[in-house]
Amino acid sequence: MLMNIRDLAIGYQGRPILPPLTLTVAPGELWAVIGPNGAGKSTFLRTILGLQPPLAGAIERGDGAIGYVPQRSEIDPAVPQRVIDLVRMGVERGWRVLDPLAARRNPAVQVAMRDTDVTALARTQWRRLSEGQKQRALLAQALAGEPKLLVLDEPTSAMDMHAEAGIFAVLERLRMERQLGIVVISHHLALLARYATHVLLLDKDERLALVGDRQTVLRHPAFMERYGQVLDRGGRHD
Amino acid sequence: MTDLTGFWASWELFRDAALAGTFAGAILGALGVYVLIRRMVFLSAALSQAASLGVAAAFWAQIQGAPPWLATPTLGALGGTLLATALAGIPDRASRRDGLLGAIYLVGAAGTLAIGTKIVQEVQDIESLLFGSGVAVLPEDFHTIAWLALALGVIQLWLHRGLLHVSLDRDGARVQRLPVRFLDLVLVLSLAAAVSVSTRLLGALPVFAFMVLPALAALDLAQNPTQALLLSALLGAAAGLGGYWLAYAASLPVGAAQTLVAALLVAITRAGRALADRALAWRAHQQHDRLQHNAHEHGPDCGHEAVAHDDHLDYLVDGHLHHPHDGHCDDHGHQ
């Protein structure tokens, strides 16, 4: 078990925005978090990452670190950063950050860059990367901390379909090779339907939270009603 | 040149003041990188004004009979800075406290002016509080800034990775369980100490300038944030020292001269960066054209106009005559 979530209520100022959520993320599972804009997906992500307090319920973390991949727009392009600098930041954990040379010595940096195919871009500035390269650099940063659970916030937004498919292929490979647990918010239903093992469908307006393995959720009337036609058309919704 | 020679000939007179300006420029320059990354430029302006109000209040308290050991200008500056920091907090990139920071800045500036008129002229000139004089530095003040520069330098060597991480990616730092509050506190105290001691020596204007301009130039030049810290410290030191020389050569107030030198450094680096970017874009464009052209085969249906040229046929591409033969393509110049 990487994360056990029981009766979790998320929201703001004491007001829950969704029904209580219960789910367990195990190694090798890819959880797709889907739902319309403003459905509560990011609030869910921030809560399980510990960036926002839960209103009720419990989040039990298993052993091992969590790797967080934020949206690419969170990185300020005005600040000079090469890919290697970004990835080294992923190594720092807890008070180990007080050792100024820890990141330089850590072999996980090179392994993470190799696994995400950004080794050749190590000296390239962030602002000069394509969207797909940026996403792979952020993935490398998260992997440098050798996490057991990877949490990604819309990794393929504003990406062309080719780059999008490339990112999901990397995630799939990491899931299989490292037995990573992955929780990912994405708008690309076709890719999620192909790669996800489990799905969490959220809709704040309808007070809906559908949790389960892929087949169960994809066949559920509430899912079909919302996304059945979208899946038939090729899978992208906004 | 004569001015430079004269400046060095009088070095003994200026030494402590010029070195104090250099140290202040270096430490404020380095801390300015965090200020810009966290987008809290307005906080640094508010802090420097609050510090100058603290200095003015200390002089006024001395005139009113407060014990000199208590109402020292440096303690006054520290008090003003800490009070302003406590009121404003250290904003991260996500938070916006512009209104509150504006209020602190305005109270600081107006308060300094108001109290300044109550301070007798021979004790302290109000202009120097606001815009910096820095001509004469007491030995104890010089020692204070020198030790502070050393202490902050050691702290930066030790903690810069954590301080940068929290400044660049606060959420990531929290997920990775970095000691975010401890690192915030270190930054707050470093800023408070640097601003208060420097404002006492130089005045509010150059302190604000040193926290913004060297970092702006350094972020243009550096390859990564760590390099930016070092570069910004060097540029800040250069502006601090260069400002003294400019003030001597052009008979300018020291604070204004230091600010102008720092601004000049920004102008130079911005121009250099723009040129470098243009050169890179041009090179990429050339490479792109070459690749596109290599992949293209000219022929009757290639889409380019065929033009007779001497004994062969060229194709017109962007005003240039391209001549394909023997597996490659020559540029025969403009049509």
Side-chain angles (χ1 to χ4, degrees), chain A residues 46 50-51 61 68 74 76 79-82 85 88-90 92-95 97-98 100 125 127-128, chain B residues 39 93 157-159 161-162 165 168 171 174 176-179 182 219 222-225 273 277 280:
Chain A
R46 291 185 66 77
L51 298 172
R61 282 182 173 194
Y68 171 47
E74 296 286 307
D76 187 350
V79 177
Q81 280 192 97
R82 301 165 305 178
D85 305 312
R88 279 181 183 149
M89 280 171 62
E92 287 152 359
R93 205 154 283 277
W95 289 89
V97 72
L98 303 192
Q125 285 290 325
R127 64 175 179 276
R128 299 199 189 285
Chain B
R39 297 180 188 170
R93 281 173 51 189
L157 270 178
W158 181 36
L159 294 178
R161 287 201 64 79
H165 196 146
L168 287 163
D171 282 350
R174 287 173 66 193
Q176 289 171 229
R177 303 195 167 177
L178 264 57
F182 166 76
L219 288 170
Q223 291 290 307
N224 59 35
R273 165 83 180 267
D277 280 353
L280 266 176

Side-chain angles (χ1 to χ4, degrees), chain B residues 242-269:
Chain B
Y244 271 93
W245 171 75
L246 181 64
Y248 174 87
S251 300
L252 293 173
V254 174
Q258 287 171 323
T259 304
L260 288 173
V261 171
L264 182 66
L265 292 173
V266 174
I268 292 169
T269 54

Side-chain angles (χ1 to χ4, degrees), chain B residues 88-114:
Chain B
I90 285 285
D92 57 58
R93 281 173 51 189
S95 65
R96 289 275 178 268
R97 299 178 195 179
D98 289 356
L100 183 58
L101 292 174
I104 293 170
Y105 175 89
L106 291 166
V107 169
T112 308
L113 278 170

Side-chain angles (χ1 to χ4, degrees), chain B residues 54-73:
Chain B
V55 174
F59 281 120
W60 181 78
Q62 279 181 16
I63 293 167
Q64 300 305 310
W69 59 267
L70 181 64
T72 66

Side-chain angles (χ1 to χ4, degrees), chain A residues 17-206:
Chain A
I17 57 173
L18 288 166
L21 299 163
T22 296
L23 59 112
T24 301
V25 183
E29 290 181 351
L30 191 152
W31 280 79
V33 185
I34 61 172
N37 287 333
K41 302 186 296 292
S42 292
T43 308
F44 169 71
L45 221 63
R46 291 185 66 77
T47 309
I48 65 170
L49 287 169
L51 298 172
Q52 184 174 322
L55 300 182
I59 302 169
E60 187 189 342
R61 282 182 173 194
D63 293 334
I66 293 182
Y68 171 47
V69 182
Q71 293 194 22
R72 297 186 299 287
S73 56
E74 296 286 307
I75 311 291
D76 187 350
V79 177
Q81 280 192 97
R82 301 165 305 178
V83 169
I84 183 79
D85 305 312
L86 201 73
V87 179
R88 279 181 183 149
M89 280 171 62
V91 168
E92 287 152 359
R93 205 154 283 277
W95 289 89
R96 207 167 65 187
V97 72
L98 303 192
D99 176 357
L101 297 177
R104 286 182 179 273
R105 288 196 297 257
N106 200 315
V109 169
Q110 299 304 327
V111 175
M113 294 200 344
R114 188 196 62 207
D115 282 359
T116 51
D117 199 20
V118 292
T119 306
L121 300 168
R123 309 282 158 192
T124 306
Q125 285 290 325
W126 168 264
R127 64 175 179 276
R128 299 199 189 285
L129 299 176
S130 70
E131 292 303 309
Q133 290 170 336
K134 283 180 180 175
Q135 197 57 54
R136 283 190 280 124
L138 285 178
L139 256 177
Q141 183 191 40
L143 291 175
E146 300 181 281
K148 300 282 186 209
L149 176 64
L150 202 56
V151 178
L152 303 98
D153 191 355
E154 301 206 33
T156 59
S157 61
M159 231 181 238
D160 62 60
M161 286 192 68
H162 178 70
E164 208 165 29
I167 292 299
F168 272 96
V170 172
L171 284 179
E172 176 68 358
R173 183 162 46 80
L174 292 170
R175 181 175 77 81
M176 301 295 280
E177 287 176 3
R178 298 191 180 206
Q179 278 297 294
L180 277 179
I182 299 175
V183 178
V184 56
I185 292 180
S186 179
H187 284 286
H188 203 302
L189 288 179
L191 287 169
L192 288 178
R194 182 173 163 194
Y195 293 112
T197 59
H198 294 74
V199 176
L200 174 57
L201 167 63
L202 302 178
D203 191 338
K204 186 177 73 176
D205 295 336
E206 303 283 333

